[in-house]
Amino acid sequence: MAGGKKLVIVESPTKMKSIQGYLGDEYEVLSSVGHIRDLAKKEDIPADKKQAYGKYSIDVENGFDAYYVVSDRKTKTVAELKRALKSADEVLLATDEDREGEAIAWHLLEVLKPKVPVKRMVFHEITKDAIRAAAGNTRELDLALVNAQETRRVLDRLYGWDVSPVLWRKIGSGRDGQALSAGRVQSAATRLVVDRERERMAFVSASYWDIEAHAAKDGGSFSTRLARLDGAPLARGTDFDDSGSLKKAVVVLSETEARELAAAIEKVAAASVTAVEAKPGTRSPKAPFTTSTMQQEAGRKLSMSAKHAMSVAQRLYEKGYITYMRTDSTALSAQAVTAARTQAVALYGDRAVPASPRSYRNNAKNAQEAHEAIRPSGEEFRTPASVASGLDRDEQRLYDLIWKRTVASQMSDAKYETTTVTLEVAASGKTAAFTASGTVYTFKGFLEAYEEGNDEKRGDNDRSADQSLPAVAVGDELRLSDVEPKGHATSPKPRYTEASLVKALEEKGIGRPSTFASIIDVIIERGYVTKRGQALVPSWLSFSVVRLLEQHFSDLIDYDFTAALEDDLDAIARGEQAREAWLKEFYFGSDNHVGLRNIVENLGDIDARELNATPIGDVATLRFGKYGPYLDVPVAEGETRIVNVPDDLAPDELTPEKAQELIDAPVAGDRVLGENPENGKLIVVKDGRFGPYVQELEPEPDETVDEATGEVAAPKKKTTKKDAAPKPRTASLFKTMSVETVDLDQALQLLSLPRVVGVDPESGNEITAQNGRYGPYLKKGTDSRTLQSEQQLFDITLDEAIAVYAQPKYGARAASSALKEFEADPTSGKPIKLKDGRFGPYVTDGETNATIPRGENADDVTFERAVQLLADKRAKGPAPKRTRKTTTTRKPAAKKK
């Protein structure tokens, strides 16, 4: 249409306003709000397509053709895009420049079917210059990238839908009854965490001793540590292997020997300097951030989860503060290098930068040099102080980190000198050599701006603290004091943190940096891994899952095989590998690969009980059930006893000794609390498999006596359902109660539930207070409302209950009291409140509710962040009624050679 506008389609609603302002009135910018369609659910596939697509929504017999449907929540979005398309004379698909963005653009093209020219518009930062340059320098859709992303989607569907049902049948359900899953990369990530825990469980600690002392000269003192005895090196933690054995010949002091030697040295109280060695050194800055290194540093320095770091980075990118945050590249553009060097000189002086700009090479496996590293946007970098007013707390912290890393990457090397002093003292007929080291930076260079964080490593306890040494020379006599023997024990490898797991995934080539955050989020959500502080602790459930995969899907969970799949996807993205041929080999097999279908169809017998068994020495067997881990303890021939294992006990902490302690602990159950005054029945408290509870015991049936013979007749057994004994009343303890402290009054209150609060005068319905799976609630007919505490079950009055029902109810969740209150929302004009609902914290203005994303701390939500969450939710629109619209699909055309 002549004179029409150019329709620009981006992914995120947040980008729309900025880009619209940069491009002007001749453009109309709209958002797809992410993907508009996905593989169909089984119920969405038409009857005539069921045979071909019914199992996976993929026709594996005909080129692995995928059947897509428009998402229920995107029908309104698609309608809006089609409306705008009618008055457009050109379409610019401006989704992100990565494989997923390319696939979203292709899906838009397939659904909208525009009759006007279509171009691909790509940019790495949202600034005026970058957006205008991108609009004037478009390209064609890259079908090789689309093929790679679609291959990944099909691959993951085939893998997950074939392997996950095996977990359901042989292991059961996971935490809170949710179904288990076996994703291609999440399984490898789970195995990494489990393998580390296995190493910790097999680890044998070794003990060793050394001696520390203070050496002093002319008022200056420093710490020293015993390094050699009669010329032989003293044992350190790194000298022992994981079985507790020495790896080389060293002197291992016992506690007695260390104390005797320390006492003898204390008596001498002097040592002579035998060596002073000074070595110069340099340190170079690290490369600018990639997606992976940004996630790692955000975890180390800011305590952000990988998912939260990516969410914050996404906001910074969409607001125009940083370049695109999904990248494997460590390169900087010429203008970025100039900006970084200029800012370094302005802040730290002319010596702050080297004569020539620095360039970096990415050594990560499977790196895709798609675009720049993550850096501040624009030709001139804005300092953290200058942008603080426009950012919330987390955005400011992450921007500061990115800015520092980028500027430091172009700065000069740091220069230092390390001095090592050796002291010797003769005591108890032996020559003890102590050493001390100190480092002095002669030029800080890039350290003026930034220093990279470090993950915890084994042997860190053996490192001497850096210190300042006084000037000493060979032959000087120094005073020794505070001579103290120190005992040490070797430690196992530290557990993975999110930062170190991201690093391991990248090093092994498992997944893509852009997917690391979601991988970790999934294995935590599924209950395979829990967080203890920053450490990732595998659950016993994950041991069963990994054991099944290792025994029956060994190729699929192999680290090298998983990484090789990424290599193959890269080859498809480059147009060097054919999508259909590759999927055919993966699924049906070849001479080089057995094939997923053949593996699944030839699994053979799987002993589910054996699969779910981990021997704990000779004491017991650890098993994982529906309600958590427990010990299966043999007590007699063919008989076992079940002992619950505390949920907070990590697998490596369940030693045979700890297991025996749990077995020997007195059972805190069947404690008689007293009689129910209403009926005389005994009330007891028990600790059951499903948690602690109180129970009202039913009396035993009375014995009968034959008056003629005097014989006692046993009570008759109940043989029919009608004659069955009444089921005793039970009630679970509240979370605030314990088996040891619950009393009779509390037990009677628990057994009184559900409690009738009163009758609603308006409807005439009875209002009851009940305790359910998701906590305490009120019920009136079919209408339920969440209560804020368990105690309210007993305390809430009829007037208070009526007041609760008078409050607005959002969806299926009761209104809750506000955790925070903010100013009025600029769109609705109504005050914003932060609330805690049944499914987590959310913000609301009374009209729109927006959930706080997983990984974000509700306490850190600011007014600006709340406004943005509500705006994003409004942009998505309300969830439409469940009417489905299907669209057919065609495979991308083969790339021309």
Side-chain angles (χ1 to χ4, degrees), residues 1-289:
M1 176 185 292
K5 291 187 177 183
K6 294 182 179 181
L7 176 61
V8 179
I9 305 177
V10 297
E11 288 184 38
S12 167
T14 310
K15 301 177 184 177
M16 289 169 48
K17 186 175 181 180
S18 297
I19 295 176
Q20 181 71 71
Y22 295 148
L23 291 178
D25 294 338
E26 64 268 30
Y27 293 84
E28 181 177 9
V29 184
L30 294 177
S31 168
S32 69
V33 197
H35 281 278
I36 60 169
R37 65 177 188 171
D38 196 3
L39 291 172
K41 297 178 181 178
K42 291 182 179 180
E43 59 267 27
D44 293 336
I45 300 174
D48 61 335
K49 303 284 186 180
K50 287 282 186 183
Q51 184 173 355
Y53 296 95
K55 185 175 182 180
Y56 308 105
S57 301
I58 298 165
D59 188 351
V60 297
E61 302 292 345
N62 292 288
F64 295 88
D65 187 47
Y67 194 87
Y68 292 98
V69 296
V70 172
S71 168
D72 289 339
R73 300 184 64 178
K74 296 302 174 67
T75 53
K76 182 178 178 181
T77 300
V78 170
E80 185 178 0
L81 292 173
K82 286 185 175 180
R83 174 201 58 75
L85 184 60
K86 291 179 181 179
S87 58
D89 58 13
E90 187 177 19
V91 176
L92 300 179
L93 300 174
T95 51
D96 295 338
E97 192 187 15
D98 54 16
R99 293 178 189 174
E100 189 164 2
E102 208 75 15
I104 292 174
W106 176 71
H107 283 295
L108 287 166
L109 192 61
E110 291 287 297
V111 172
L112 299 179
K113 301 185 182 341
K115 304 298 183 183
V116 296
V118 178
K119 298 293 182 181
R120 186 77 167 90
M121 172 181 165
V122 294
F123 46 86
H124 307 140
E125 57 184 347
I126 303 175
T127 60
K128 185 175 183 178
D129 290 342
I131 295 301
R132 287 188 171 181
N137 187 27
T138 57
R139 63 169 171 81
E140 297 299 317
L141 191 70
D142 190 333
L143 293 179
L145 286 180
V146 175
N147 274 326
Q149 182 63 24
E150 294 305 289
T151 302
R152 179 188 294 276
R153 186 71 185 91
V154 170
L155 166 65
D156 289 342
R157 171 61 66 92
L158 296 175
Y159 185 108
W161 284 33
D162 269 353
V163 180
S164 293
V166 181
L167 301 185
W168 305 339
R169 294 193 301 270
K170 297 303 179 180
I171 296 178
S173 59
R175 187 172 62 188
D176 298 328
Q178 63 179 326
L180 304 180
S181 64
R184 178 178 58 89
V185 285
Q186 78 186 44
S187 296
T190 303
R191 183 188 171 196
L192 276 171
V193 181
V194 169
D195 280 348
R196 178 59 55 86
E197 196 73 7
R198 286 169 171 169
E199 292 179 277
R200 291 175 63 88
M201 294 169 72
F203 177 77
V204 178
S205 183
S207 62
Y208 59 98
W209 284 73
D210 61 15
I211 298 172
E212 294 182 3
H214 275 86
K217 178 193 176 186
D218 299 332
S221 66
F222 55 95
S223 297
T224 65
R225 177 183 285 188
L226 182 63
R228 291 182 297 278
L229 200 57
D230 286 339
L234 207 65
R236 293 282 177 257
T238 53
D239 296 327
F240 296 88
D241 61 22
D242 285 350
S243 67
S245 301
L246 284 170
K247 296 186 288 186
K248 62 181 181 181
V250 291
V251 175
V252 181
L253 289 180
S254 66
E255 180 179 1
T256 300
E257 291 170 329
R259 293 191 181 281
E260 289 177 351
L261 181 59
I265 294 171
E266 186 88 54
K267 287 182 180 179
V268 176
S272 59
V273 178
T274 58
V276 178
E277 185 179 14
K279 288 185 178 180
T282 60
R283 287 180 59 187
S284 298
K286 296 291 184 179
F289 279 140

Side-chain angles (χ1 to χ4, degrees), residues 43 88 167 276 289 353 357 381 396 531 551 722 842 880:
E43 59 267 27
L167 301 185
V276 178
F289 279 140
V353 298
F381 295 167
Q396 186 175 359
K531 293 187 74 171
Q551 292 177 5
K722 184 177 180 181
Y842 66 101

